[in-house]
Amino acid sequence: MPKLKHAIYTSLAAVSFVLGVVGLFLPLMPTTGFMLLAVWLASRGSPRFASWIRQHPRFGPPILAWEDERAIPRHAKWMAATMLVVSTLVIGFTVTSPLLKLALIVGLVALGVWIVTRPEPRAACPFAVAADAAAEKRLSETSCASRQSGR
């Protein structure tokens, strides 16, 4: 039974990965979301496949930013916000049920607020990286100075 379970997870990971790749070409498909799902599924079915996705030059950085820091890159926030606004407008003009329209729009606005309030990856901010390096250098200098003075 474990082999079947691994095969199911790996198959679902492959489908999610393909949908993520399709999302590169279709603006309404959420590439990063499908890639996150693919990594989660692959880590249960094929850790080698999950590692390959994490190391991929195109898909890896946003996945690692999310896994390490729960952070979303700025360009992804802008794209998501733009797509949510477009989706809200389409729903506003096409859905006839007022209750359903309201529920969908409130849900999309809540999702948009959640996405925009996520932090940005530290590695994407050169000032943060430089500040971290400077702070680390000061800390090591302080440690060395205190050891030399006998404190």
Side-chain angles (χ1 to χ4, degrees):
M1 190 65 169
K3 286 186 179 187
L4 177 62
K5 187 177 177 182
H6 286 294
I8 291 171
Y9 276 123
T10 303
S11 299
L12 290 173
V15 168
S16 183
F17 180 81
V18 169
L19 289 173
V21 171
V22 169
L24 289 173
F25 305 101
L26 296 177
L28 298 178
M29 295 280 289
T31 299
T32 304
F34 281 118
M35 290 301 164
L36 287 169
L37 180 60
V39 167
W40 183 81
L41 291 164
S43 66
R44 279 140 184 80
S46 172
R48 195 170 115 200
F49 183 33
S51 176
W52 180 82
I53 297 170
R54 285 184 181 103
Q55 293 173 2
H56 192 279
R58 169 82 172 134
F59 308 121
I63 291 168
L64 293 174
W66 180 254
E67 289 181 336
D68 295 344
E69 307 174 47
R70 294 295 188 244
I72 301 174
R74 183 175 296 166
H75 67 89
K77 289 181 184 184
W78 277 101
M79 180 61 77
T82 301
M83 290 298 119
L84 288 169
V85 167
V86 169
S87 298
T88 300
L89 291 172
V90 169
I91 288 169
F93 289 115
T94 60
V95 175
T96 56
S97 168
L99 188 57
L100 179 60
K101 184 186 298 191
L102 178 67
L104 289 171
I105 290 174
V106 166
L108 290 177
V109 168
L111 178 61
V113 167
W114 183 83
I115 288 171
V116 170
T117 59
R118 297 303 94 203
E120 292 179 17
R122 304 263 311 150
C125 178
F127 299 112
V129 172
D132 288 347
E136 197 171 307
K137 182 179 177 188
R138 281 193 306 273
L139 181 61
S140 67
E141 288 171 355
T142 305
S143 300
C144 292
S146 62
R147 275 186 254 140
Q148 289 173 348
S149 65
R151 291 187 234 173

